[in-house]
Amino acid sequence: MSAAELDMSWQEAGACQNTPIHWWFPEAFEGVPPEARALCRACPVFAQCHAHALRHEQHGVWAATSPRQRRRLRKAAGLRSFVERDPDVVADVAQMFERGFTPPQIGEALGMNRRTVYRTLAAAGHDLTPVDNWRRQARTGSNAT
Ligand code: SF4
């Protein structure tokens, strides 16, 4: 399902409607501002928001969680990140890889860490032999394949 197809109608009942945007996208730190936390705790759609954010939101405060907290929760729950499940991202990663870009180059171009690049390629069913070769070369400094 693409982001455009997601049912976000629950958001209309969110307690965060008409509140300052900087509560939800704080610039100075990655935590959860107290005002946002208080609203989320009393929000009637907290459960829907939390489930949605865990699967789909990389940035901002959702359901009283910061991006970092959601990354930890995702990892603990064994969920793949939204990046790894987005067909457009998967296609971009695969295309760059097939054109000979290394995982760090792909990560830099697409704003992903290299581990996510590996996992994205693996989840998409790509043959990871070239990645393994690249890693071996990177470790040994050898150019041999
Ligand atoms: S849980 Fe928080 S972020 Fe989510 S809709 Fe409610 S108030 Fe907004």
Side-chain angles (χ1 to χ4, degrees):
M1 181 184 288
S2 72
E5 293 168 321
L6 287 175
D7 177 9
M8 299 286 287
S9 55
W10 51 267
Q11 243 185 340
E12 290 165 21
C16 49
Q17 295 294 309
N18 304 315
T19 54
I21 194 71
H22 66 268
W23 290 3
W24 311 99
F25 293 93
E27 286 178 14
F29 71 113
E30 244 218 356
V32 179
E35 301 91 339
R37 188 182 302 282
L39 269 186
C40 290
R41 284 188 174 151
C43 180
V45 291
F46 178 89
Q48 292 99 313
C49 182
H50 193 272
H52 164 83
L54 206 54
R55 291 202 165 267
H56 301 288
E57 299 298 342
Q58 185 185 21
H59 304 291
V61 171
W62 294 74
T65 60
S66 68
R68 182 178 298 172
Q69 287 169 326
R70 290 196 301 279
R71 282 196 294 276
R72 286 198 195 121
L73 289 168
R74 241 180 239 127
K75 191 173 175 189
L79 294 173
R80 282 188 291 147
S81 75
F82 81 99
V83 166
E84 295 165 79
R85 289 178 289 104
D86 184 322
D88 291 337
V89 173
V90 172
D92 286 347
V93 169
Q95 200 173 41
M96 289 186 75
F97 185 60
E98 283 157 14
R99 287 181 180 172
F101 287 91
T102 64
Q105 287 170 332
I106 297 170
E108 193 175 337
L110 300 179
M112 304 160 71
N113 67 43
R114 69 179 68 172
R115 190 181 302 176
T116 303
V117 173
Y118 299 143
R119 285 204 311 252
T120 302
L121 288 165
H126 279 268
D127 174 11
L128 292 180
T129 307
V131 175
D132 292 337
N133 289 341
W134 174 83
R135 286 166 114 175
R136 218 177 353 261
Q137 286 168 19
R139 262 200 316 270
T140 62
S142 151
N143 284 328
T145 53

